PDB file of all heavy atoms in Angstrom:
ATOM      1  N   GLY A  14      93.580 104.185 132.638  1.00 96.00           N
ATOM      2  CA  GLY A  14      92.592 104.789 133.469  1.00 96.00           C
ATOM      3  C   GLY A  14      91.270 104.979 132.605  1.00 96.00           C
ATOM      4  O   GLY A  14      91.217 104.553 131.472  1.00 96.00           O
ATOM      5  N   THR A  15      90.319 105.692 133.206  1.00 96.00           N
ATOM      6  CA  THR A  15      89.042 105.889 132.505  1.00 96.00           C
ATOM      7  C   THR A  15      88.677 107.337 132.470  1.00 96.00           C
ATOM      8  O   THR A  15      89.080 108.141 133.334  1.00 96.00           O
ATOM      9  CB  THR A  15      87.948 105.086 133.270  1.00 96.00           C
ATOM     10  OG1 THR A  15      87.848 105.537 134.633  1.00 96.00           O
ATOM     11  CG2 THR A  15      88.158 103.592 133.232  1.00 96.00           C
ATOM     12  N   PHE A  16      87.827 107.656 131.518  1.00 97.00           N
ATOM     13  CA  PHE A  16      87.271 109.034 131.348  1.00 97.00           C
ATOM     14  C   PHE A  16      85.782 108.867 131.143  1.00 97.00           C
ATOM     15  O   PHE A  16      85.324 108.114 130.224  1.00 97.00           O
ATOM     16  CB  PHE A  16      87.911 109.735 130.162  1.00 97.00           C
ATOM     17  CG  PHE A  16      87.251 111.049 129.797  1.00 97.00           C
ATOM     18  CD1 PHE A  16      87.033 112.055 130.764  1.00 97.00           C
ATOM     19  CD2 PHE A  16      86.838 111.263 128.517  1.00 97.00           C
ATOM     20  CE1 PHE A  16      86.328 113.173 130.428  1.00 97.00           C
ATOM     21  CE2 PHE A  16      86.190 112.399 128.139  1.00 97.00           C
ATOM     22  CZ  PHE A  16      85.944 113.407 129.091  1.00 97.00           C
ATOM     23  N   ALA A  17      84.975 109.500 131.954  1.00 97.00           N
ATOM     24  CA  ALA A  17      83.526 109.529 131.834  1.00 97.00           C
ATOM     25  C   ALA A  17      83.030 111.003 131.676  1.00 97.00           C
ATOM     26  O   ALA A  17      83.630 111.917 132.225  1.00 97.00           O
ATOM     27  CB  ALA A  17      82.896 108.950 132.994  1.00 97.00           C
ATOM     28  N   ALA A  18      82.041 111.146 130.815  1.00 96.00           N
ATOM     29  CA  ALA A  18      81.457 112.488 130.563  1.00 96.00           C
ATOM     30  C   ALA A  18      79.958 112.344 130.675  1.00 96.00           C
ATOM     31  O   ALA A  18      79.344 111.385 130.104  1.00 96.00           O
ATOM     32  CB  ALA A  18      81.797 113.020 129.214  1.00 96.00           C
ATOM     33  N   PHE A  19      79.296 113.255 131.432  1.00 94.00           N
ATOM     34  CA  PHE A  19      77.878 113.222 131.612  1.00 94.00           C
ATOM     35  C   PHE A  19      77.446 111.820 132.078  1.00 94.00           C
ATOM     36  O   PHE A  19      76.403 111.250 131.692  1.00 94.00           O
ATOM     37  CB  PHE A  19      77.119 113.587 130.316  1.00 94.00           C
ATOM     38  CG  PHE A  19      77.712 114.825 129.669  1.00 94.00           C
ATOM     39  CD1 PHE A  19      78.589 114.811 128.642  1.00 94.00           C
ATOM     40  CD2 PHE A  19      77.283 116.051 130.187  1.00 94.00           C
ATOM     41  CE1 PHE A  19      79.084 115.986 128.092  1.00 94.00           C
ATOM     42  CE2 PHE A  19      77.803 117.276 129.635  1.00 94.00           C
ATOM     43  CZ  PHE A  19      78.680 117.189 128.564  1.00 94.00           C
ATOM     44  N   GLU A  20      78.291 111.286 132.959  1.00 90.00           N
ATOM     45  CA  GLU A  20      77.995 110.062 133.750  1.00 90.00           C
ATOM     46  C   GLU A  20      78.007 108.795 132.921  1.00 90.00           C
ATOM     47  O   GLU A  20      77.431 107.813 133.300  1.00 90.00           O
ATOM     48  CB  GLU A  20      76.701 110.270 134.634  1.00 90.00           C
ATOM     49  CG  GLU A  20      76.817 111.414 135.573  1.00 90.00           C
ATOM     50  CD  GLU A  20      75.534 111.635 136.360  1.00 90.00           C
ATOM     51  OE1 GLU A  20      74.517 111.219 135.981  1.00 90.00           O
ATOM     52  OE2 GLU A  20      75.736 112.273 137.434  1.00 90.00           O
ATOM     53  N   ASN A  21      78.643 108.926 131.717  1.00 92.00           N
ATOM     54  CA  ASN A  21      78.872 107.681 130.916  1.00 92.00           C
ATOM     55  C   ASN A  21      80.262 107.609 130.418  1.00 92.00           C
ATOM     56  O   ASN A  21      80.916 108.578 130.058  1.00 92.00           O
ATOM     57  CB  ASN A  21      77.972 107.831 129.613  1.00 92.00           C
ATOM     58  CG  ASN A  21      76.519 107.634 129.975  1.00 92.00           C
ATOM     59  OD1 ASN A  21      76.054 106.582 130.405  1.00 92.00           O
ATOM     60  ND2 ASN A  21      75.731 108.729 129.846  1.00 92.00           N
ATOM     61  N   GLU A  22      80.857 106.443 130.487  1.00 95.00           N
ATOM     62  CA  GLU A  22      82.232 106.238 130.073  1.00 95.00           C
ATOM     63  C   GLU A  22      82.381 106.631 128.584  1.00 95.00           C
ATOM     64  O   GLU A  22      81.588 106.238 127.778  1.00 95.00           O
ATOM     65  CB  GLU A  22      82.812 104.822 130.363  1.00 95.00           C
ATOM     66  CG  GLU A  22      84.257 104.723 130.056  1.00 95.00           C
ATOM     67  CD  GLU A  22      84.857 103.360 130.490  1.00 95.00           C
ATOM     68  OE1 GLU A  22      84.119 102.568 131.128  1.00 95.00           O
ATOM     69  OE2 GLU A  22      86.038 103.166 130.202  1.00 95.00           O
ATOM     70  N   VAL A  23      83.472 107.300 128.270  1.00 96.00           N
ATOM     71  CA  VAL A  23      83.781 107.671 126.908  1.00 96.00           C
ATOM     72  C   VAL A  23      84.944 106.773 126.375  1.00 96.00           C
ATOM     73  O   VAL A  23      85.894 106.617 127.062  1.00 96.00           O
ATOM     74  CB  VAL A  23      84.257 109.154 126.865  1.00 96.00           C
ATOM     75  CG1 VAL A  23      84.577 109.556 125.384  1.00 96.00           C
ATOM     76  CG2 VAL A  23      83.204 110.052 127.352  1.00 96.00           C
ATOM     77  N   THR A  24      84.648 106.105 125.237  1.00 94.00           N
ATOM     78  CA  THR A  24      85.637 105.258 124.748  1.00 94.00           C
ATOM     79  C   THR A  24      85.930 105.583 123.304  1.00 94.00           C
ATOM     80  O   THR A  24      85.180 106.386 122.671  1.00 94.00           O
ATOM     81  CB  THR A  24      85.091 103.762 124.727  1.00 94.00           C
ATOM     82  OG1 THR A  24      83.921 103.688 123.897  1.00 94.00           O
ATOM     83  CG2 THR A  24      84.681 103.344 126.156  1.00 94.00           C
ATOM     84  N   GLU A  25      87.037 104.913 122.727  1.00 94.00           N
ATOM     85  CA  GLU A  25      87.339 105.244 121.300  1.00 94.00           C
ATOM     86  C   GLU A  25      86.246 104.749 120.368  1.00 94.00           C
ATOM     87  O   GLU A  25      85.907 105.504 119.456  1.00 94.00           O
ATOM     88  CB  GLU A  25      88.636 104.451 121.036  1.00 94.00           C
ATOM     89  CG  GLU A  25      89.193 104.850 119.616  1.00 94.00           C
ATOM     90  CD  GLU A  25      90.554 104.219 119.355  1.00 94.00           C
ATOM     91  OE1 GLU A  25      91.078 103.520 120.193  1.00 94.00           O
ATOM     92  OE2 GLU A  25      91.059 104.436 118.233  1.00 94.00           O
ATOM     93  N   LYS A  26      85.581 103.743 120.703  1.00 95.00           N
ATOM     94  CA  LYS A  26      84.495 103.210 119.829  1.00 95.00           C
ATOM     95  C   LYS A  26      83.339 104.211 119.826  1.00 95.00           C
ATOM     96  O   LYS A  26      82.792 104.496 118.785  1.00 95.00           O
ATOM     97  CB  LYS A  26      84.016 101.876 120.438  1.00 95.00           C
ATOM     98  CG  LYS A  26      82.914 101.226 119.547  1.00 95.00           C
ATOM     99  CD  LYS A  26      82.490  99.859 120.146  1.00 95.00           C
ATOM    100  CE  LYS A  26      81.384  99.256 119.258  1.00 95.00           C
ATOM    101  NZ  LYS A  26      80.927  97.949 119.839  1.00 95.00           N
ATOM    102  N   LYS A  27      83.045 104.729 121.032  1.00 95.00           N
ATOM    103  CA  LYS A  27      81.935 105.752 121.050  1.00 95.00           C
ATOM    104  C   LYS A  27      82.306 107.036 120.271  1.00 95.00           C
ATOM    105  O   LYS A  27      81.489 107.542 119.536  1.00 95.00           O
ATOM    106  CB  LYS A  27      81.644 106.140 122.486  1.00 95.00           C
ATOM    107  CG  LYS A  27      80.819 105.031 123.200  1.00 95.00           C
ATOM    108  CD  LYS A  27      80.499 105.479 124.651  1.00 95.00           C
ATOM    109  CE  LYS A  27      79.733 104.343 125.408  1.00 95.00           C
ATOM    110  NZ  LYS A  27      79.445 104.739 126.825  1.00 95.00           N
ATOM    111  N   LEU A  28      83.547 107.493 120.479  1.00 92.00           N
ATOM    112  CA  LEU A  28      83.928 108.729 119.723  1.00 92.00           C
ATOM    113  C   LEU A  28      84.019 108.583 118.239  1.00 92.00           C
ATOM    114  O   LEU A  28      83.856 109.522 117.469  1.00 92.00           O
ATOM    115  CB  LEU A  28      85.319 109.205 120.294  1.00 92.00           C
ATOM    116  CG  LEU A  28      85.313 109.858 121.655  1.00 92.00           C
ATOM    117  CD1 LEU A  28      86.670 110.220 122.090  1.00 92.00           C
ATOM    118  CD2 LEU A  28      84.403 111.165 121.707  1.00 92.00           C
ATOM    119  N   ASN A  29      84.207 107.310 117.808  1.00 93.00           N
ATOM    120  CA  ASN A  29      84.256 107.062 116.374  1.00 93.00           C
ATOM    121  C   ASN A  29      82.847 106.865 115.793  1.00 93.00           C
ATOM    122  O   ASN A  29      82.677 106.714 114.558  1.00 93.00           O
ATOM    123  CB  ASN A  29      85.045 105.794 116.076  1.00 93.00           C
ATOM    124  CG  ASN A  29      86.579 106.036 116.214  1.00 93.00           C
ATOM    125  OD1 ASN A  29      87.020 107.197 116.064  1.00 93.00           O
ATOM    126  ND2 ASN A  29      87.318 105.053 116.504  1.00 93.00           N
ATOM    127  N   ASP A  30      81.823 106.831 116.678  1.00 93.00           N
ATOM    128  CA  ASP A  30      80.432 106.706 116.250  1.00 93.00           C
ATOM    129  C   ASP A  30      79.955 108.113 115.932  1.00 93.00           C
ATOM    130  O   ASP A  30      79.935 109.012 116.784  1.00 93.00           O
ATOM    131  CB  ASP A  30      79.562 106.077 117.314  1.00 93.00           C
ATOM    132  CG  ASP A  30      78.130 106.050 116.970  1.00 93.00           C
ATOM    133  OD1 ASP A  30      77.780 105.143 116.213  1.00 93.00           O
ATOM    134  OD2 ASP A  30      77.380 106.929 117.446  1.00 93.00           O
ATOM    135  N   ASP A  31      79.489 108.368 114.708  1.00 89.00           N
ATOM    136  CA  ASP A  31      79.125 109.694 114.294  1.00 89.00           C
ATOM    137  C   ASP A  31      78.034 110.350 115.090  1.00 89.00           C
ATOM    138  O   ASP A  31      78.164 111.529 115.464  1.00 89.00           O
ATOM    139  CB  ASP A  31      78.652 109.664 112.768  1.00 89.00           C
ATOM    140  CG  ASP A  31      78.607 111.007 112.158  1.00 89.00           C
ATOM    141  OD1 ASP A  31      79.588 111.797 112.352  1.00 89.00           O
ATOM    142  OD2 ASP A  31      77.635 111.331 111.496  1.00 89.00           O
ATOM    143  N   SER A  32      77.023 109.629 115.500  1.00 89.00           N
ATOM    144  CA  SER A  32      75.918 110.260 116.249  1.00 89.00           C
ATOM    145  C   SER A  32      76.396 110.581 117.665  1.00 89.00           C
ATOM    146  O   SER A  32      76.053 111.658 118.233  1.00 89.00           O
ATOM    147  CB  SER A  32      74.718 109.325 116.258  1.00 89.00           C
ATOM    148  OG  SER A  32      75.036 108.089 116.928  1.00 89.00           O
ATOM    149  N   PHE A  33      77.180 109.740 118.294  1.00 92.00           N
ATOM    150  CA  PHE A  33      77.727 109.989 119.620  1.00 92.00           C
ATOM    151  C   PHE A  33      78.660 111.290 119.571  1.00 92.00           C
ATOM    152  O   PHE A  33      78.587 112.136 120.403  1.00 92.00           O
ATOM    153  CB  PHE A  33      78.535 108.796 120.177  1.00 92.00           C
ATOM    154  CG  PHE A  33      79.179 109.050 121.513  1.00 92.00           C
ATOM    155  CD1 PHE A  33      78.422 108.791 122.720  1.00 92.00           C
ATOM    156  CD2 PHE A  33      80.381 109.637 121.639  1.00 92.00           C
ATOM    157  CE1 PHE A  33      78.994 109.035 123.935  1.00 92.00           C
ATOM    158  CE2 PHE A  33      80.999 109.875 122.880  1.00 92.00           C
ATOM    159  CZ  PHE A  33      80.273 109.591 124.039  1.00 92.00           C
ATOM    160  N   SER A  34      79.529 111.251 118.576  1.00 90.00           N
ATOM    161  CA  SER A  34      80.456 112.328 118.382  1.00 90.00           C
ATOM    162  C   SER A  34      79.758 113.697 118.270  1.00 90.00           C
ATOM    163  O   SER A  34      80.114 114.704 118.828  1.00 90.00           O
ATOM    164  CB  SER A  34      81.424 112.036 117.273  1.00 90.00           C
ATOM    165  OG  SER A  34      82.364 113.076 117.133  1.00 90.00           O
ATOM    166  N   LYS A  35      78.735 113.713 117.339  1.00 88.00           N
ATOM    167  CA  LYS A  35      78.009 114.934 117.141  1.00 88.00           C
ATOM    168  C   LYS A  35      77.324 115.445 118.372  1.00 88.00           C
ATOM    169  O   LYS A  35      77.330 116.630 118.780  1.00 88.00           O
ATOM    170  CB  LYS A  35      76.938 114.747 116.000  1.00 88.00           C
ATOM    171  CG  LYS A  35      77.471 114.835 114.597  1.00 88.00           C
ATOM    172  CD  LYS A  35      76.358 114.844 113.623  1.00 88.00           C
ATOM    173  CE  LYS A  35      76.872 114.994 112.186  1.00 88.00           C
ATOM    174  NZ  LYS A  35      75.785 114.860 111.234  1.00 88.00           N
ATOM    175  N   ALA A  36      76.724 114.477 119.154  1.00 90.00           N
ATOM    176  CA  ALA A  36      76.049 114.877 120.370  1.00 90.00           C
ATOM    177  C   ALA A  36      77.042 115.397 121.417  1.00 90.00           C
ATOM    178  O   ALA A  36      76.708 116.324 122.119  1.00 90.00           O
ATOM    179  CB  ALA A  36      75.241 113.648 120.946  1.00 90.00           C
ATOM    180  N   TYR A  37      78.131 114.761 121.434  1.00 94.00           N
ATOM    181  CA  TYR A  37      79.172 115.183 122.429  1.00 94.00           C
ATOM    182  C   TYR A  37      79.655 116.576 122.111  1.00 94.00           C
ATOM    183  O   TYR A  37      79.825 117.451 123.029  1.00 94.00           O
ATOM    184  CB  TYR A  37      80.376 114.188 122.339  1.00 94.00           C
ATOM    185  CG  TYR A  37      81.346 114.393 123.512  1.00 94.00           C
ATOM    186  CD1 TYR A  37      81.236 113.624 124.647  1.00 94.00           C
ATOM    187  CD2 TYR A  37      82.395 115.295 123.437  1.00 94.00           C
ATOM    188  CE1 TYR A  37      82.102 113.790 125.726  1.00 94.00           C
ATOM    189  CE2 TYR A  37      83.267 115.494 124.511  1.00 94.00           C
ATOM    190  CZ  TYR A  37      83.105 114.652 125.653  1.00 94.00           C
ATOM    191  OH  TYR A  37      83.967 114.814 126.673  1.00 94.00           O
ATOM    192  N   HIS A  38      80.015 116.814 120.834  1.00 89.00           N
ATOM    193  CA  HIS A  38      80.511 118.177 120.460  1.00 89.00           C
ATOM    194  C   HIS A  38      79.472 119.272 120.490  1.00 89.00           C
ATOM    195  O   HIS A  38      79.812 120.415 120.351  1.00 89.00           O
ATOM    196  CB  HIS A  38      81.290 118.105 119.178  1.00 89.00           C
ATOM    197  CG  HIS A  38      82.469 117.218 119.229  1.00 89.00           C
ATOM    198  ND1 HIS A  38      83.544 117.521 120.072  1.00 89.00           N
ATOM    199  CD2 HIS A  38      82.854 115.970 118.681  1.00 89.00           C
ATOM    200  CE1 HIS A  38      84.490 116.621 120.011  1.00 89.00           C
ATOM    201  NE2 HIS A  38      84.091 115.674 119.192  1.00 89.00           N
ATOM    202  N   LYS A  39      78.209 118.827 120.497  1.00 89.00           N
ATOM    203  CA  LYS A  39      77.153 119.837 120.734  1.00 89.00           C
ATOM    204  C   LYS A  39      77.100 120.278 122.160  1.00 89.00           C
ATOM    205  O   LYS A  39      76.861 121.427 122.469  1.00 89.00           O
ATOM    206  CB  LYS A  39      75.782 119.247 120.317  1.00 89.00           C
ATOM    207  CG  LYS A  39      74.674 120.183 120.377  1.00 89.00           C
ATOM    208  CD  LYS A  39      73.380 119.567 119.718  1.00 89.00           C
ATOM    209  CE  LYS A  39      72.221 120.590 119.568  1.00 89.00           C
ATOM    210  NZ  LYS A  39      71.675 120.989 120.922  1.00 89.00           N
ATOM    211  N   LYS A  40      77.403 119.418 123.040  1.00 95.00           N
ATOM    212  CA  LYS A  40      77.372 119.665 124.533  1.00 95.00           C
ATOM    213  C   LYS A  40      78.640 120.380 124.976  1.00 95.00           C
ATOM    214  O   LYS A  40      78.626 121.138 125.936  1.00 95.00           O
ATOM    215  CB  LYS A  40      77.221 118.336 125.364  1.00 95.00           C
ATOM    216  CG  LYS A  40      75.833 117.784 125.330  1.00 95.00           C
ATOM    217  CD  LYS A  40      75.817 116.547 126.199  1.00 95.00           C
ATOM    218  CE  LYS A  40      74.442 115.904 126.252  1.00 95.00           C
ATOM    219  NZ  LYS A  40      74.420 114.702 127.086  1.00 95.00           N
ATOM    220  N   VAL A  41      79.792 120.066 124.307  1.00 96.00           N
ATOM    221  CA  VAL A  41      81.071 120.499 124.837  1.00 96.00           C
ATOM    222  C   VAL A  41      81.738 121.374 123.735  1.00 96.00           C
ATOM    223  O   VAL A  41      82.074 120.869 122.631  1.00 96.00           O
ATOM    224  CB  VAL A  41      81.971 119.326 125.134  1.00 96.00           C
ATOM    225  CG1 VAL A  41      83.343 119.804 125.675  1.00 96.00           C
ATOM    226  CG2 VAL A  41      81.351 118.447 126.210  1.00 96.00           C
TER     227      VAL A  41
END
């Protein structure tokens, strides 16, 4: 299945990206 947050799909590649991860954990 899929998981999207803030209208963008969240993937393992994105979560492993430091800038994406920091932005995500600032919002959540």
Side-chain angles (χ1 to χ4, degrees):
T15 60
F16 170 53
F19 310 99
E20 302 180 335
N21 290 293
E22 186 173 355
V23 180
T24 62
E25 187 173 1
K26 182 179 179 182
K27 286 181 180 176
L28 285 176
N29 286 334
D30 177 81
D31 194 46
S32 61
F33 178 90
S34 182
K35 277 186 178 179
Y37 192 92
H38 294 296
K39 185 171 186 290
K40 287 182 178 179
V41 181

